Amino acid sequence: NTAGAVQHQSTLRDNQAPSTALALSSTTIDVSTAVTLTATVTDSSSGLAGLSFSVPCGSISAPHPLTFTGETNEQSIQRTWTVPADCRTLGSQNVSVSVTDQSTFSADGNASVAVTLRDLTDPIVSWDNPPTEVNLGSGALTMTAIASDASSGVASLSFTLSNQAQGSFNPASRNLVGAPTTATTTSELTVESSLTHGAQVTVRVQSTDVANN
């Protein structure tokens, strides 16, 4: 006698993450610039489903995130990352890409690249409504300056006279707390009593940002 045939059917499932690699056109990146991101991805089993980049600040060119329709062959995806002038996440950062496939049993494919974001832009500083005339013997005069730095933030302001013998500022400098993007601060200007009518006094204010620009 022969035993009856017994059949069993198994369903194959994809439990492997998509193969994922990431490259950048530069890893030392300044604010107000653009960088090319290139993701190379493959899923030869269930096929690709979606892809998204993650960046510390700024925007990714469209279309993003990207949707696939089950492609099983290698895909090379390029997008432009625009780093804005007001990017505040400076220094050592990471750019990453995450890829999904059509299977619910596999993990996402992930890759990341370490980058350095830099602020090389000088802060902007100006006097706020400075006087055109100073009365001799009127005592200290309050001078107001406004400084701004959209990225790393304002660190300090310093006040000087073109001719130091003509007077002084108190304080001569101010350090700012919290790296504000905009700061308004004052200093007291005292001119020397020995100056004569008609003398020209040139005052200066200089700002430094957290990135030491």
Side-chain angles (χ1 to χ4, degrees):
N1 296 322
T2 303
V6 178
Q7 293 185 343
H8 173 75
Q9 187 177 57
S10 296
T11 300
L12 298 179
R13 67 183 190 184
D14 176 11
N15 62 356
Q16 294 183 324
S19 172
T20 308
L22 175 63
L24 278 66
S25 58
S26 176
T27 56
T28 299
I29 304 163
D30 302 331
V31 298
S32 301
T33 60
V35 180
T36 300
L37 312 179
T38 303
T40 304
V41 297
T42 310
D43 191 274
S44 58
S45 182
S46 63
L48 297 167
L51 177 150
S52 63
F53 293 100
S54 178
V55 294
C57 62
S59 60
I60 303 294
S61 59
H64 182 263
L66 184 65
T67 300
F68 296 101
T69 56
E71 291 86 344
T72 56
N73 58 317
E74 182 178 277
Q75 303 289 309
S76 180
I77 307 300
Q78 284 194 341
R79 292 293 182 268
T80 300
W81 169 28
T82 301
V83 184
D86 60 354
C87 179
R88 299 280 279 172
T89 49
L90 302 176
S92 299
Q93 305 292 334
N94 285 295
V95 174
S96 62
V97 62
S98 180
V99 184
T100 59
D101 62 19
Q102 302 288 334
S103 172
T104 59
F105 300 102
S106 59
D108 295 347
N110 294 286
S112 66
V113 174
V115 299
T116 301
L117 285 170
R118 304 185 304 181
D119 172 17
L120 299 182
T121 305
D122 293 337
I124 299 171
V125 64
S126 63
W127 291 110
D128 181 25
N129 195 28
T132 57
E133 296 180 346
V134 178
N135 294 324
L136 293 171
S138 61
L141 176 68
T142 300
M143 301 286 291
T144 302
I146 301 174
S148 62
D149 188 90
S151 184
S152 62
V154 181
S156 65
L157 289 91
S158 59
F159 305 90
T160 58
L161 287 85
S162 179
N163 183 348
Q164 297 294 320
Q166 290 182 321
S168 62
F169 276 100
N170 183 29
S173 64
R174 288 190 184 275
N175 294 322
L176 304 178
V177 177
T181 56
T182 302
T184 300
T185 189
T186 62
S187 184
E188 301 294 320
L189 169 64
T190 302
V191 297
E192 289 294 327
S193 58
S194 59
L195 296 179
T196 58
H197 175 77
Q200 297 293 310
V201 177
T202 301
V203 293
R204 295 175 175 172
V205 59
Q206 183 176 26
S207 178
T208 302
D209 64 18
V210 175
N212 206 33
N213 297 308

